[in-house]
Each structure stands twice: as C-alpha cells, then as structure tokens.
Amino acid sequence: MDPVLSDPPAEEARLVAHLAEGGLLAPAALRRAEEARQAAGEALIPALLALGLLGEEPLAAAAAAALGLPLLPRAALPPDPPLAERLPLRFLRRMRAYPVRLEEDGALLLAMADPLDPYAVQAAALATGRAVRRAVAAPSVILAGLAQLEAAAAPPEVALAETRPGAPEDATRLRDQASEAPVIRHVNALLQQAVESGASDIHLESTESGLRARLRVDGVLREAGLIASGLGTGVLSRIKIMARLDVAERRLPQDGRMRVAVRGRDVDLRVSIIPALEGEGAVLRILDRGAVALDFAALGFTAGEIAALHAMLAQTSRMVLVTGPTGSGKTTTLYAALNAVDRQRLKVCTIEDPVEYRLEGVSQVQVRPQIGLTFPQALRAMLRHDPDVMLVGEIRDPETAQVAVQAALTGHLVLATLHTNDAPSAVTRLMDLGVPDYLIASVLHGALAQRLVRTLCADCREAFTPAPDLSARLGLARLAAGAPIRLHRPRGCAHCGGSGYRGRTTILQIMLVDEAVRALVLRRADAGALAAAAMQAGMPSLRETGLRKALAGETSVEEVLRVAGGD
C-alpha cells in the first residue's frame, strides 16, 4: 500500500536524485529551481514547471518512477469518478487532483499532478473518509479531465439554446460564453496539453455528442477527449476571438493566426475554421519555433546528405527543389537551408503562403491572393530588391515556375517546393508546367524528395533478428554491408505515451543533375529513365534510405514501409 507521504522530505530527495542521475536536469538547473522555490515558497514540482526546466510529461514520468507510483494517461481518468459528491470540482482543480477508482480494500486511488503535496492527500482522505493512494498524471491531463466534468455539469439549457433550429446568431452571447471561466480553462488546458506532448496540430470536430478533440503527434492522430456540446460552441468561439476572427460567422471558412504563451515560451498557432454538417470544425497548426531545430543534423540528415546539400547551397544561378506530400517537412528543410547560408553577407528573401516561422535576417513576404499579391507578382517584385537567395514556398502554376526559373538564370539561388512523389518527378513536373527542357537542364542543380518517419522510443524499443525471408525480401544483407542484421520494434512505455515511438526523423532521396541526367532532360525523358540514370550514379530510393535507418535502430521496418511503401 502506498504510504501517504510519511516522509515528504525523503520522497522529495528521491525525486531530485532521480532527476540528477537520469540526466534530466543539470545540477545548475536544480540549484536554480531550489532558489526559486525558496524565494516564492513553492513546492518542488510546481517550481520546476513554472521555470520551464522540464516538460509536464517527462516530469510526471520521473516522479512516478522515483516514487514507485503508477503514471496515468488521459484515458485512465473515468468520466464518472468515484466519490464525486464529496470532492467538489473547485477543490480538485485547486489541488490538481482527480479521483480514479476505489481499490478492492476501499482505498481511493487519486491521480495527482504533484504527488509530493501532503495537504491534498490529507484533505481528500478527510473529505471521503477513505485511505488515499497516489498516482501521477500530467497537469494538463488532469485539467482536461476536470474540464470535461465541468462541461457535463453545465446547465442543459445552454446546449438547447445553441442547437435550436433557426436560433439567431448572437455575437454578444457567443462572446460572453467564450469569456466564461470553464471555457477559458478548457482552451488553455488543451493548448498546454498539445504543446507539452509535441503535437503539430489540434483537430476539433463537431459531432452529435460534442466537440471531438484530437492531437497529431509524430504524424499520427491521438484522442484528447470529447468536449460536451454545452461547452463546444464556447470553445470554438474562444478560439475565434483569440485568432481575431468573426465570432458570429458560422457559414463560411475562416483563417487566422494567434500567439499564446505556454510554460513561459511564445507559440504561434495558425487557425482554420470550416463549417460542417454537425457544426463547425477547427484545426490549429502549432508553430513552435523553439521546438524546431533548423539544423540538417537535427532533422536526421546523414553526413553525406549534409555535404551534398551544402554543395548545392554554394551555387549561384541555380535552382534546388524539395518535393514530397503535404506534411513531409519540406518547408522545415528549406528553413534549415536558409539557416545554413551566410545571411550577414547575402540578401535572403522568401515568398510563402503562409509564413510559418519568422527568421532573423530574412525578408519574408506573405502571399495574399485576395488583394492580388500572388506568387508570381511577389516574385517579380522581390527580384527588384537584388536578392542573392530566394525561397519560393511552392511552385504551383506555370507563371510561378517560369519566373522562378528566370530568377535562377539571372544569378540567384532559388529554393522551392513541389508536390511530387520522388526527386526525378520534379523534372517532369516542371515540364508539365511549361518550362522548356533546355532551361531546366541549365538551372536545376538538384532535387530532394523527403518523408518523415517516426523514431523508436529509446526507452522501450526491442531488438530482434529478422526472419531470413524478410531480410531477403527487403535486401537487408546488401544494406548491412556485412554487419549483423538487427532490427528494432516498438513496445510502448510511459515516456512515449504507449505508442513505442517518440519524435520523427527525415528520410531523403537526393538527385544531383549531372551530365547524364542533363542529357536525358534535353531529350525530355520520363521520370523512370531519369530515376534509372540517377540511381546508377548512386541515388538511393526513399525506401532504401529508410531501411538503413531501421538497421541503425532509429525506426522500425513497419514505419518505413508505411511511409515509403514500395518505392
């Protein structure tokens, strides 16, 4: 049975030792936290979170491991908690606690954001007349659960007023509802949970039973709870207000942007609202500049790939294309390329739709088609500013392609993205857009195709020797080059949220336009012939690059095949 904090200082010392021995916090950071907590009279865990020295989820996992307590995910918090009549929501929110279940011996299992808080345990024991056992959950997990309880307890007439057919749209009512404390707390908890979990997007979808919330983490959607219908409209209205959108407009799509502070750091969010059959839906794209490393090595590029990219960036009067589907990290790669050029010596400009991250020392232009500022128009205007390096967010029409190629011909390094499946197809795509073959052969220096694959959690990945038929089918012996063939598979643990994966890395296919490829371009060869010539010169397929990373233990074969397929 879990002791009810019989010796709080000893447990606190165990947590500090675990943080130090596990390398989660440096000694200097621990000293800083100790000084701050003494000055503010705070407990250890709230002080660490307030200073932003450790994220919610890693700190919760560390506390659970150090104290020998269970770590609970959001799904473990029941929608109908026990002894709710004895533990008011106001008390639970103040204590950052959530009743989970009654154990076989009658003890109450209490999820706590701060399991070192003796007062919360004692107060819960007195209120319920039960022994209390502790569990650990991240603060955002507990706040999301409590917000759902508050929504369920909301007066039914609120939901009726919102869903009544033909009810007039009252902007004042919507703004008032968006300013209510439960709505504000729920939105804040959702944003905090998303940022702490490393999500790239928040998806809110209206359903008959409420507003469904999901987070896209490492490219895969995860459930984040159901917001009751009595609170759903208020949450969407709150997001509209924060993004400076029309709160009363529910018939047309709207796009906006907002900046919020989460754990002491600024995070930009791009907001898209669309009308749907069951009500409005929203997607919030999280643009956390502090979480994005604009460095080739940090993105997962190998030494050989980095050398090839630096050689491309050293050229003038050339074009470099990055291809791949939406969400494959093309823009991040281009930003890393801009980060690698000498911005003190060179004039660097970008044309984007939209501008995702703000880069110091770079002139960034936001395309606005509604007022006539299109990619071609912005590109022509930018050429009059005598740039050395130009980034074109996307070549999507013949006019943009023609102007970008002309810019590369006249002494500029042009970086741009295209939507193609592989690097050789970038050439045929330019031809489809009307660019003459001789111009492509003159200006195109190289093309990159890329995908993002999830990386295995280092804490729980499991090594194994693959079956001979699998090795033969995938050609692993050739890729291993005589080394033992060992692969890894995901298992799932508290550190990765049970998925077995944590983070993503890039797999690349780099095609350099050498004399052989250039001759094929001038003959207007198809993508297959271009790919054959490039592979003869050493270009790998995306699948081959991914399998090399699987052999290195970075990802799994299943993940590579999911993303790269039979390429």
Side-chain angles (χ1 to χ4, degrees):
M1 179 173 177
D2 170 44
V4 182
L5 282 153
S6 57
D7 192 355
E11 290 202 339
E12 189 174 285
R14 283 161 53 193
L15 175 56
V16 170
H18 182 84
L19 294 172
E21 292 168 3
L24 296 172
L25 280 181
L30 286 169
R31 286 195 298 272
R32 179 184 167 201
E34 184 61 31
E35 292 169 0
R37 63 176 289 211
Q38 288 181 359
E42 279 189 323
L44 175 63
I45 290 178
L48 291 172
L49 291 174
L51 290 171
L53 296 175
L54 204 60
E56 279 190 2
E57 293 185 357
L59 182 55
L67 305 179
L69 302 175
L71 177 65
L72 302 183
R74 173 72 181 86
L77 304 189
D80 186 18
L83 305 176
E85 69 283 356
R86 301 186 186 181
L87 296 170
L89 282 173
R90 181 177 298 179
F91 164 79
L92 294 173
R93 187 171 288 280
R94 188 171 67 250
M95 295 300 176
R96 300 290 178 93
Y98 196 103
V100 178
R101 63 174 178 267
L102 293 177
E103 304 283 35
E104 291 183 0
D105 59 358
L108 172 66
L109 182 66
L110 188 69
M112 304 178 66
D114 183 5
L116 296 175
D117 183 0
Y119 305 106
V121 176
Q122 293 166 4
L126 287 172
T128 61
R130 307 263 183 162
V132 173
R133 290 181 182 154
R134 295 169 294 161
V136 184
S140 59
V141 168
I142 290 177
L143 289 176
L146 294 177
Q148 191 156 342
L149 292 182
E150 287 180 331
E157 56 269 19
V158 175
L160 290 173
E162 291 169 358
T163 57
R164 187 183 303 119
E169 293 298 340
D170 184 351
T172 302
R173 176 179 61 81
L174 291 171
R175 288 182 180 276
D176 289 344
Q177 186 181 5
S179 301
E180 293 175 356
V183 171
I184 293 174
R185 285 196 295 265
H186 199 103
V187 171
N188 290 346
L190 184 61
L191 294 176
Q192 183 176 316
Q193 180 185 0
V195 173
E196 292 288 349
S197 62
S200 60
D201 304 89
I202 303 172
H203 291 252
L204 300 173
E205 303 155 356
S206 294
T207 66
E208 291 184 354
S209 53
L211 192 66
R212 183 188 187 191
R214 294 192 290 173
L215 306 179
R216 188 178 296 280
V217 180
D218 297 333
V220 178
L221 286 172
R222 297 182 184 176
E223 293 291 338
L226 184 69
I227 305 171
S229 57
L231 205 63
T233 303
V235 167
L236 289 172
S237 298
R238 176 71 181 169
I239 291 171
K240 286 182 183 179
I241 291 171
M242 295 172 70
R244 295 181 174 86
L245 301 177
D246 184 353
V247 70
E249 178 56 75
R250 302 181 69 184
R251 302 163 300 168
L252 298 173
Q254 297 188 72
D255 294 303
R257 197 175 184 121
M258 62 183 177
R259 174 172 291 185
V260 297
V262 179
R263 293 295 176 198
R265 72 174 188 260
D266 288 337
V267 176
D268 289 323
L269 294 104
R270 199 169 71 224
V271 180
S272 175
I273 308 285
I274 59 170
L277 184 63
E278 300 293 343
E280 289 181 295
V283 175
L284 285 70
R285 179 75 184 273
I286 301 172
L287 306 172
D288 186 359
R289 175 65 177 81
V292 177
L294 300 181
D295 175 80
F296 290 137
L299 294 176
F301 294 8
T302 65
E305 292 166 345
I306 294 173
L309 287 170
H310 279 297
M312 291 183 190
L313 297 176
Q315 300 290 320
T316 58
S317 297
R318 287 296 180 93
M319 174 183 282
V320 177
L321 298 174
V322 180
T323 73
T326 301
S328 60
K330 301 186 299 295
T331 302
T332 303
T333 295
L334 289 180
Y335 279 168
L338 294 184
N339 209 38
V341 303
D342 186 355
R343 291 177 304 206
Q344 295 293 327
R345 187 175 59 86
L346 301 174
K347 171 79 170 180
V348 181
C349 300
T350 74
I351 306 170
E352 303 170 69
D353 183 22
V355 174
E356 294 201 2
Y357 299 104
R358 291 170 175 83
L359 301 174
E360 185 178 353
V362 177
S363 299
Q364 296 176 269
V365 176
Q366 166 76 55
V367 171
R368 300 183 187 277
Q370 64 271 25
I371 61 172
L373 184 58
T374 60
F375 271 107
Q377 185 183 41
L379 192 50
R380 289 193 184 94
M382 187 177 287
L383 287 172
R384 293 192 285 271
H385 284 239
D386 191 26
D388 298 291
V389 182
M390 305 174 65
L391 185 156
V392 181
E394 182 183 348
I395 295 178
R396 60 178 69 162
D397 57 77
E399 190 177 3
T400 304
Q402 293 283 353
V403 178
V405 168
Q406 289 296 328
L409 274 174
T410 54
H412 307 87
L413 174 62
V414 178
L415 310 176
T417 71
L418 275 176
H419 283 289
T420 64
N421 288 328
D422 58 13
S425 297
V427 174
T428 55
R429 176 62 178 150
L430 288 179
M431 292 180 181
D432 292 341
L433 290 172
V435 180
D437 49 29
Y438 64 89
L439 289 182
I440 299 174
S442 298
V443 303
L444 185 60
H445 186 57
L448 289 70
Q450 72 175 63
R451 301 288 191 275
L452 294 176
V453 294
R454 292 181 292 170
T455 52
L456 288 164
C457 175
D459 293 296
C460 66
R461 65 179 183 175
E462 181 180 63
F464 70 99
T465 300
D469 60 334
L470 177 64
S471 296
R473 181 162 54 88
L474 298 178
L476 297 181
R478 177 180 62 85
L479 298 176
I485 300 176
R486 297 282 286 173
L487 297 175
H488 292 76
R489 53 187 161 220
R491 294 196 60 183
C493 66
H495 294 90
C496 59
S499 69
Y501 297 93
R502 187 166 49 172
R504 288 192 288 180
T505 189
T506 308
I507 57 174
L508 282 183
Q509 178 188 52
I510 300 180
M511 183 186 77
L512 297 176
V513 180
D514 57 13
E515 290 304 320
V517 172
R518 192 170 289 113
L520 289 172
V521 172
L522 290 173
R523 295 206 299 266
R524 299 187 67 84
D526 60 20
L530 292 169
M535 286 182 175
Q536 189 173 358
M539 180 189 76
S541 68
L542 282 168
R543 189 173 83 158
E544 181 178 325
T545 305
L547 290 175
R548 290 185 188 277
K549 294 206 168 186
L551 286 169
E554 296 181 42
T555 188
S556 66
V557 166
E558 293 80 9
E559 181 69 6
V560 172
L561 297 179
R562 180 184 72 86
V563 173
D567 175 45

